[in-house]
Amino acid sequence: MRRLLPHPAQAPADPRARARWLAEEYAPPEGLWVRAQMISSMDGASSVAGRAGGLANPSDEALFAVTRALADVIVVGAQTARSEFYGPAEPHPDLSQARTTLGRPAAAAMVVISARLDISPALLEQPAVPGADTVVVTTRSAPADARRRIESHGIEVIVAGEQSVDPTQLMEKISDRGHKSVLLEGGPKLLGQFHAASILDEICLTISPRTVGGDSSRIILAGESVTNWSLVSLMEDEGFLFTRYRHQSLS
């Protein structure tokens, strides 16, 4: 993986050293910080056969694991969690000790967004990592029986909106829990809601050297809102481009 901006540099070849190097490169600033991590094909598709993983390579997967290891909390929509086979977040093999040394849980907490409470069974499993809890965020109109089913697994369900989850209310509840570094993993509709609410500070976008065609969605859907971003980092590996954009007001 070569860093092209702000100046050329070579990432370490050893996976452990590379993970630490990436953790330094992608370390979030102090205070509340909302980062989105997405992947797109050259022609703008956000998935292949319904899965973003079909666009990735090992370097993208390694970076994904590092940004998760840097986060206090991971936010994901229920549909993305189902299609990508999500379970509770797991500790990074090379970075978890740095978290626990600072008094943080070894892995990030997981926040799953679902208005209908259609949650993947894997996410209802209690994590083995103390403090890395799974929380489900829903609406006041969510089905009561579905809520009871989820709560019977010991999963907390909180409300942040009437008919749909309100990103601003959600961020208030996340902040109230002491979380600062927030990683938003999609999908495109949820990312669009955060984008429209002007909550995103940073977008980490991997551009895959593949074309997909068809009618796959873009990385941001719903809530049209034109926003300017500044490129702060660009790396390349085997034709994959790893970009990092910061909201222009923060540059």
Side-chain angles (χ1 to χ4, degrees), residues 82-123:
R82 288 192 300 272
S83 62
E84 302 291 342
F85 308 112
Y86 271 55
E90 299 179 355
H92 192 286
D94 304 310
L95 301 176
S96 60
Q97 186 174 352
R99 293 176 62 101
T100 56
T101 299
L102 295 173
R104 302 168 68 196
M110 183 78 69
V111 169
V112 186
I113 311 300
S114 178
R116 297 177 300 158
L117 294 178
D118 185 8
I119 304 298
S120 169
L123 279 169

Side-chain angles (χ1 to χ4, degrees), residues 37-38 59-69 74 86 92 183 185:
Q37 174 110 18
M38 301 292 283
S59 289
D60 179 68
E61 293 168 355
L63 177 59
F64 182 76
V66 167
T67 55
R68 278 188 151 208
I74 297 163
Y86 271 55
H92 192 286
L183 180 62
E185 294 183 352

Side-chain angles (χ1 to χ4, degrees), residues 199-229:
I199 290 174
L200 292 173
D201 298 311
E202 184 176 279
I203 297 178
C204 297
L205 173 63
T206 298
I207 301 174
S208 172
R210 297 167 183 162
T211 50
V212 175
D215 57 358
S216 175
S217 69
R218 300 180 300 171
I219 66 165
I220 295 179
L221 290 177
E224 182 176 345
S225 174
V226 178
T227 306
N228 294 321
W229 301 83

Side-chain angles (χ1 to χ4, degrees), residues 53-208:
L55 294 169
N57 78 338
S59 289
D60 179 68
E61 293 168 355
L63 177 59
F64 182 76
V66 167
T67 55
R68 278 188 151 208
L70 294 172
D72 293 326
V73 59
I74 297 163
V75 179
V76 64
Q79 182 175 342
T80 295
R82 288 192 300 272
S83 62
E84 302 291 342
F85 308 112
Y86 271 55
E90 299 179 355
H92 192 286
D94 304 310
L95 301 176
S96 60
Q97 186 174 352
R99 293 176 62 101
T100 56
T101 299
L102 295 173
R104 302 168 68 196
M110 183 78 69
V111 169
V112 186
I113 311 300
S114 178
R116 297 177 300 158
L117 294 178
D118 185 8
I119 304 298
S120 169
L123 279 169
L124 300 179
E125 299 173 2
Q126 289 294 333
V129 182
D133 301 321
T134 297
V135 176
V136 174
V137 180
T138 190
T139 64
R140 221 169 282 281
S141 59
D145 57 341
R147 177 168 182 165
R148 286 191 293 270
R149 176 180 62 86
I150 292 169
E151 290 176 333
S152 70
H153 289 268
I155 303 295
E156 183 180 4
V157 179
I158 61 177
V159 171
E162 298 298 327
Q163 300 298 319
S164 62
V165 172
D166 183 290
T168 301
Q169 291 185 37
L170 170 61
M171 287 306 304
E172 289 173 353
K173 294 181 182 296
I174 286 175
S175 182
D176 288 345
R177 290 168 179 260
H179 298 314
K180 299 296 183 184
S181 177
V182 181
L183 180 62
L184 181 62
E185 294 183 352
K189 184 177 179 180
L190 182 62
L191 188 57
Q193 292 168 342
F194 271 69
H195 177 255
S198 299
I199 290 174
L200 292 173
D201 298 311
E202 184 176 279
I203 297 178
C204 297
L205 173 63
T206 298
I207 301 174
S208 172

